[in-house]
Amino acid sequence: MMIDTEDLTKTYNGRGGCRGITLQVPEGCIFGLLGPNGAGKSTFVKMLAGLHRPDSGRAAVLGRPLGRPEARRKLGYLPELFRFQDWLTPVEVLRFHGQLGGLRPRETRAPAFRSRIRDTLELVGLLDAADRRVGGFSKGMQQRLGLAAALLLEPELVILDEPASALDPVGRFEIRSLLKRLRGKGVTVFLNSHLLEDVEELCDEAAFLYGGELLASGPLYKLLGGSGDTGANWRFRLGGWLPETLAELNNAVGAAFSSPLLRLVDADANGNALLSARVADREQAGYLCSLLIRNGLTLYESGPEPNNLEAWFLRMARSREGGVLQ
């Protein structure tokens, strides 16, 4: 495993941060870390990068305990918030980062390393700006430079904290293509991002944090419900809802099927509700529609749930925010 944590915990005076995170990231994949603001994602990422010391728990990165120099030499890291000296050029920034990575000054001036710098700048689309002052760069160009610094020493593991947040659609496309090429070379990418469409396109596996706790992790297709069965998640939008209605409906469903069980996704004070169920086929969904109507409910809408990462993300967050089952 490139990343292996067990009950990893870091809080700030007993609040915030993350608690009891047990997570494994296999070699050679792109792994996405998801969760709303304040979920503890950045705290977890900083522990992996060796910038925060955990309060408790165990973790290994690249087979080494957190923060060990042997692991750091093979680790590339792009923080969410970073600044470069305005008076430096990208070439000078990368030469400095080479020294931070353990190279001697004369090694960073050798022809081979100068060639690596230019290749890395070309990789992130900054070669034409190699000799310009960073102070004149846009935020997106600085983000590209931060990615170049993370990739400079050819790491085996790259940890990226919001790597495309300042980029335009063309830039985001280019970064996605770059990350796919890295995966093709066997590099493991750990991606913390709010851009769900990027995670959905790129990631092989993902994890969801909420309130500092790990709620789900695994292959992305399994998290989205594509575990190989032929069923589908079906939703029903209703009127005339009462708090006791769910138990009555599931008693009726249980008399006909061992599954599905209807789950309450959302409800308001006006008697409107949204239900969800895992159905085997449309015939079973049709039976549930008739059951809802026979029980005096008004059926406004029914159909398969959107099976994408945004819908899953919202269901996970709402299930914790409102105490409603997903």
Side-chain angles (χ1 to χ4, degrees), residues 149-185:
L151 298 177
L152 177 65
L153 298 181
E154 301 178 326
E156 296 179 15
L157 169 65
V158 182
I159 298 177
L160 305 176
D161 202 348
E162 300 292 350
S165 59
L167 300 178
D168 60 23
V170 174
R172 285 173 53 200
F173 173 80
E174 292 173 349
I175 296 304
R176 288 200 300 266
S177 299
L178 169 59
L179 297 183
K180 291 176 182 177
R181 292 202 302 273
L182 291 174
R183 176 176 55 192
K185 294 179 180 180

Side-chain angles (χ1 to χ4, degrees), residues 220-247:
L220 197 58
Y221 78 93
K222 287 188 177 181
L223 296 178
L224 297 181
S227 56
D229 58 9
T230 58
N233 290 321
W234 211 268
R235 64 182 178 185
F236 309 86
R237 196 171 297 278
L238 307 163
W241 184 261
L242 295 173
E244 62 271 18
T245 305
L246 184 63

Side-chain angles (χ1 to χ4, degrees), residues 119-263:
D119 288 346
T120 305
L121 290 174
E122 184 175 17
L123 192 65
V124 300
L126 282 181
L127 185 58
D128 291 342
D131 298 313
R132 290 170 49 187
R133 300 298 175 188
V134 174
F137 280 14
S138 67
K139 188 175 180 182
M141 293 175 71
Q142 293 204 28
Q143 195 137 25
R144 289 173 182 269
L145 181 54
L147 184 57
L151 298 177
L152 177 65
L153 298 181
E154 301 178 326
E156 296 179 15
L157 169 65
V158 182
I159 298 177
L160 305 176
D161 202 348
E162 300 292 350
S165 59
L167 300 178
D168 60 23
V170 174
R172 285 173 53 200
F173 173 80
E174 292 173 349
I175 296 304
R176 288 200 300 266
S177 299
L178 169 59
L179 297 183
K180 291 176 182 177
R181 292 202 302 273
L182 291 174
R183 176 176 55 192
K185 294 179 180 180
V187 177
T188 304
V189 179
F190 189 89
L191 179 65
N192 176 22
S193 177
H194 284 105
L195 301 174
L196 298 182
E197 60 271 32
D198 289 352
V199 173
E200 189 164 20
E201 179 176 340
L202 288 170
C203 292
D204 306 292
E205 301 195 18
F208 186 88
L209 295 186
Y210 187 93
E213 298 179 0
L214 179 65
L215 298 190
S217 66
L220 197 58
Y221 78 93
K222 287 188 177 181
L223 296 178
L224 297 181
S227 56
D229 58 9
T230 58
N233 290 321
W234 211 268
R235 64 182 178 185
F236 309 86
R237 196 171 297 278
L238 307 163
W241 184 261
L242 295 173
E244 62 271 18
T245 305
L246 184 63
E248 297 172 358
L249 289 172
N250 276 326
N251 284 335
V253 171
F257 303 106
S258 58
S259 64
L261 289 179
L262 289 159
R263 299 182 294 276

Side-chain angles (χ1 to χ4, degrees), residues 1-301:
M1 289 290 172
M2 295 299 280
I3 297 172
D4 185 7
T5 76
E6 182 179 356
D7 292 328
L8 201 63
T9 297
K10 172 67 178 179
T11 62
Y12 306 95
N13 296 321
R15 298 183 298 178
C18 55
R19 298 175 296 280
I21 307 298
T22 298
L23 184 67
Q24 290 78 41
V25 176
E27 182 178 350
C29 76
I30 301 180
F31 193 101
L33 184 64
L34 302 171
N37 291 333
K41 303 188 302 299
S42 289
T43 296
F44 184 68
V45 166
K46 289 176 181 177
M47 283 192 287
L48 297 180
L51 300 178
H52 279 346
R53 181 173 295 176
D55 298 334
S56 61
R58 179 197 62 81
V61 174
L62 292 145
R64 303 280 185 171
L66 289 182
R68 290 292 177 85
E70 299 88 344
R72 286 186 174 182
R73 292 191 187 99
K74 301 177 182 179
L75 169 66
Y77 173 53
L78 173 63
E80 181 181 7
L81 301 174
F82 57 87
R83 287 293 301 272
F84 299 112
Q85 295 87 345
D86 291 346
W87 59 89
L88 296 180
T89 67
V91 170
E92 292 167 336
V93 168
L94 295 188
R95 185 179 297 142
F96 175 64
H97 275 263
Q99 294 178 34
L100 291 177
L103 298 178
R104 295 185 177 92
R106 68 172 180 272
E107 292 177 301
T108 65
R109 290 178 170 83
F113 194 75
R114 291 203 303 266
S115 178
R116 183 187 297 182
I117 287 176
R118 301 194 75 82
D119 288 346
T120 305
L121 290 174
E122 184 175 17
L123 192 65
V124 300
L126 282 181
L127 185 58
D128 291 342
D131 298 313
R132 290 170 49 187
R133 300 298 175 188
V134 174
F137 280 14
S138 67
K139 188 175 180 182
M141 293 175 71
Q142 293 204 28
Q143 195 137 25
R144 289 173 182 269
L145 181 54
L147 184 57
L151 298 177
L152 177 65
L153 298 181
E154 301 178 326
E156 296 179 15
L157 169 65
V158 182
I159 298 177
L160 305 176
D161 202 348
E162 300 292 350
S165 59
L167 300 178
D168 60 23
V170 174
R172 285 173 53 200
F173 173 80
E174 292 173 349
I175 296 304
R176 288 200 300 266
S177 299
L178 169 59
L179 297 183
K180 291 176 182 177
R181 292 202 302 273
L182 291 174
R183 176 176 55 192
K185 294 179 180 180
V187 177
T188 304
V189 179
F190 189 89
L191 179 65
N192 176 22
S193 177
H194 284 105
L195 301 174
L196 298 182
E197 60 271 32
D198 289 352
V199 173
E200 189 164 20
E201 179 176 340
L202 288 170
C203 292
D204 306 292
E205 301 195 18
F208 186 88
L209 295 186
Y210 187 93
E213 298 179 0
L214 179 65
L215 298 190
S217 66
L220 197 58
Y221 78 93
K222 287 188 177 181
L223 296 178
L224 297 181
S227 56
D229 58 9
T230 58
N233 290 321
W234 211 268
R235 64 182 178 185
F236 309 86
R237 196 171 297 278
L238 307 163
W241 184 261
L242 295 173
E244 62 271 18
T245 305
L246 184 63
E248 297 172 358
L249 289 172
N250 276 326
N251 284 335
V253 171
F257 303 106
S258 58
S259 64
L261 289 179
L262 289 159
R263 299 182 294 276
L264 178 62
V265 177
D266 196 14
D268 62 27
N270 298 318
N272 299 307
L274 178 65
L275 301 186
S276 174
R278 186 77 177 171
V279 299
D281 49 37
R282 288 181 174 268
E283 182 178 354
Q284 198 173 73
Y287 170 82
L288 292 177
C289 289
S290 65
L291 175 68
L292 296 170
I293 294 170
R294 288 201 308 270
N295 277 266
L297 297 166
T298 302
L299 181 61
Y300 296 127
E301 175 190 352

